[in-house]
Amino acid sequence: MARLDPDRLFPTDDRTRGLARDFYTRIKERPIVSPHGHCDPAWFAENAPFPDPARLFVTPDHYVFRMLFSQGVPLESLGIARRDGAEVETDGRAIWRVFASHWHLFRATPSQMWVEHALEDVFGWEETLSAETADAAYDHIVAKLADPAFRPRALYDRFGIEVLATTDSALDPLSHHKTIRAADWNGRIVPTYRPDATVDPEAQGFAANVAQLGEITGEDTTTWTGYLAAHRKRRADFIALGATATDHGHPTARTADLHDPAALFARVLGGASAEDGEAFRAQMLTEMARMSLEDGLVMQIHAGASRNHSRAMHALFGPDKGFDIPARTDYVGALKPLLDAHGTDPRLRVILFTLDETVYTRELAPMAGVYPSLLLGPAWWFFDSPEGMRRYREAVTETAGFYNTAGFNDDTRAFCSIPARHDVARRVDCAHLATLVATGRLTRPDAEEVAEDLAYGLAKKAYRL
């Protein structure tokens, strides 16, 4: 029995629901543009079968395992590797049983919507997940995964993905992207330049990372000019493989435009204080903006995450284990040095993301509503949810409009959730547009055009795809 309500996320009154349904019907089959995310390019390079349901749905998805951990489920029982090499569960069926027996924890969360959409729409499983159905669901999915139609490239085609961007370190050899480009397959997988390991003095092994950047590029990265030249060369490598964007996951949005940054660079290579580390990250955002003026790459700034909040869990399991927490973030003051230098240049494109919803109306929408270099990214991370998306549209549209936003991106490591995430965004946007039409603030023809742009056109334009 199908569990997905065809009118999910639409308004409850008949007129507005009917409008939302009509708008959604027009755009639901539009190709998926996924311009920012964390899928592994190796999936598409090797095109091997996904190993099992647990490693497809549970272990790569921090939304899933953080909820389970919050209710006392040890990460070891979910197959999450420990830094000390201690034993963790490796049996996919055992991991899946733990997940299924705690499925009730996800009621009314976005994860429930994404997983149920994937189970039903991708794998044809229509029963409720539970301890009692765990093995049957596992066996059903395993059988599907053995079918070549469920390999990564086939699913990419089936999902209707037009382009998918991965996120890759400045030190990545990009071998998987090279394999994809050489393959007899028309899927468009492009890298994104993520230089954090080589621009954040507080990153693990920063000095060694900078030295490796020099080795890769043949530049002397012990000097400021050589270091910048190395970044330019690496960006060119990414562009040659289809990259159109960079990504910067800084703790804050602080920027700087120092007269002579060479002395700061020398200090951070020798071991940075927290103050010097923040100053250097700030300077490098402005330097990356200058490089974007040269090579056309779109900048993404993902600021405001207090990462690895639990020292104990970070020590045991490393980064990206669900302990990243939203933090208050200043954009008006923090971005001013960069914007003073280049903010009115329409050649520059900077897409801003936030985990601090309080800045939507006070800072981000007014800034994107006047600076030609700025666009607002979609509701991100903890707000990548129906209510988060609704609040986002209500907060920013009056000041920034629709066309100073960057459409939608799924920002996921969970490949099979991509269609579900885009479906949620399209439904929420159509519900918002229906409300605007029903209250006389937008005509129906305009709403139909905006729905198309939000689902497809804006992301392509924003990311120069």
Side-chain angles (χ1 to χ4, degrees):
M1 176 181 176
R3 294 180 49 80
L4 296 176
D5 183 345
D7 286 333
R8 59 194 180 278
L9 304 178
F10 293 160
T12 55
D13 68 281
D14 289 342
R15 183 194 173 203
T16 316
R17 171 168 284 201
L19 287 167
R21 187 187 299 126
D22 289 348
F23 298 155
Y24 172 73
T25 299
R26 293 173 65 94
I27 56 92
K28 66 178 182 178
E29 301 297 336
R30 294 300 288 148
I32 288 175
V33 176
S34 181
H36 171 69
H38 300 275
C39 288
D40 189 343
W43 297 338
F44 309 101
E46 299 166 1
N47 201 34
F50 288 107
D52 61 57
R55 287 166 181 83
L56 190 59
F57 284 97
V58 183
T59 55
D61 194 340
H62 59 107
Y63 289 91
V64 168
F65 58 71
R66 76 187 307 272
M67 175 65 83
L68 297 174
F69 185 79
S70 77
Q71 288 287 307
V73 177
L75 293 186
E76 290 89 343
S77 71
L78 302 173
I80 308 301
R82 289 175 51 126
R83 280 180 154 176
D84 61 5
E87 288 189 9
V88 301
E89 183 61 70
T90 58
D91 183 349
R93 186 181 295 274
I95 295 168
W96 184 259
R97 285 172 175 168
V98 173
F99 172 55
S101 67
H102 291 83
W103 181 237
H104 64 282
L105 300 178
F106 296 95
R107 289 169 179 163
T109 67
S111 293
Q112 181 190 35
M113 298 191 71
W114 299 332
V115 171
E116 288 185 347
H117 186 286
L119 290 176
E120 182 172 320
D121 195 61
V122 179
F123 291 97
W125 174 263
E126 297 182 351
E127 295 185 45
T128 301
L129 198 59
S130 66
E132 291 72 28
T133 63
D135 281 348
Y138 188 90
D139 292 337
H140 178 90
I141 299 168
V142 165
K144 295 288 187 182
L145 292 176
D147 187 333
F150 287 81
R151 293 198 178 186
R153 293 182 188 176
L155 288 176
Y156 175 102
D157 294 334
R158 176 179 159 190
F159 293 164
I161 299 174
E162 183 174 301
V163 58
L164 184 148
T166 62
T167 302
D168 310 271
S169 166
L171 305 177
D172 194 296
L174 301 178
S175 54
H176 294 308
H177 283 279
K178 293 172 184 175
T179 299
I180 294 167
R181 296 272 285 198
D184 183 19
W185 179 55
N186 293 326
R188 187 180 176 193
I189 311 291
V190 301
T192 299
Y193 189 64
R194 179 87 172 226
D196 293 4
T198 59
V199 302
D200 183 357
E202 295 182 275
Q204 184 175 2
F206 172 71
N209 296 340
V210 172
Q212 185 180 350
L213 180 66
E215 293 169 4
I216 292 170
T217 60
E219 295 288 343
D220 180 3
T221 53
T222 64
T223 69
W224 175 241
T225 56
Y227 171 73
L228 294 182
H231 278 292
R232 289 188 176 92
K233 282 190 175 180
R234 277 264 75 191
R235 289 165 66 107
D237 293 340
F238 276 64
I239 291 169
L241 290 169
T244 68
T246 69
D247 185 37
H248 310 273
H250 290 201
T252 75
R254 180 178 164 187
T255 64
D257 192 17
L258 303 176
H259 176 67
D260 182 13
L264 175 62
F265 177 63
R267 289 202 303 275
V268 298
L269 274 186
S273 65
E275 181 180 352
D276 277 348
E278 177 72 346
F280 189 73
R281 288 189 296 268
Q283 180 65 29
M284 285 308 299
L285 283 180
T286 305
E287 298 295 343
M288 290 289 159
R290 279 194 263 272
M291 293 182 198
S292 286
L293 287 171
E294 298 169 1
D295 62 25
L297 290 181
V298 176
M299 287 185 70
Q300 299 173 93
I301 300 178
H302 286 83
S306 178
R307 297 181 185 268
N308 309 311
H309 193 266
S310 169
R311 291 183 180 178
M313 294 301 290
H314 182 251
L316 278 175
F317 294 97
D320 303 320
K321 296 301 181 290
F323 281 87
D324 301 334
I325 309 297
R328 286 189 294 270
T329 308
D330 164 51
Y331 291 87
V332 171
L335 290 173
K336 194 172 190 314
L338 186 155
L339 295 175
D340 280 344
H342 305 295
T344 58
D345 190 330
R347 295 176 300 160
L348 178 63
R349 184 163 299 162
V350 182
I351 302 176
L352 300 175
F353 295 80
T354 187
L355 288 178
D356 180 1
E357 288 188 304
T358 68
V359 300
Y360 279 153
T361 54
R362 186 180 65 247
E363 301 185 26
L364 290 179
M367 293 172 76
V370 67
Y371 278 100
S373 61
L374 297 183
L375 292 174
L376 300 187
W380 171 48
W381 203 338
F382 291 96
F383 309 121
D384 178 14
S385 65
E387 293 303 323
M389 293 172 185
R390 177 186 59 79
R391 291 192 299 269
Y392 169 84
R393 290 290 174 212
E394 291 176 348
V396 309
T397 302
E398 288 185 328
T399 304
F402 292 111
Y403 294 91
N404 284 314
T405 66
F408 179 69
N409 61 58
D410 46 78
D411 192 17
T412 187
R413 293 172 172 81
F415 180 49
C416 288
S417 75
I418 288 178
R421 290 170 190 250
H422 284 261
D423 184 70
V424 167
R426 292 173 182 187
R427 288 174 178 275
V428 171
D429 283 340
C430 287
H432 180 64
L433 293 168
T435 300
L436 294 179
V437 172
T439 54
R441 289 176 285 172
L442 199 63
T443 67
R444 180 171 183 143
D446 283 351
E448 291 172 349
E449 186 174 322
V450 171
E452 170 75 18
D453 290 332
L454 295 178
Y456 179 73
L458 287 184
K460 288 194 70 172
K461 182 178 179 182
Y463 285 87
R464 295 172 174 157
L465 289 165

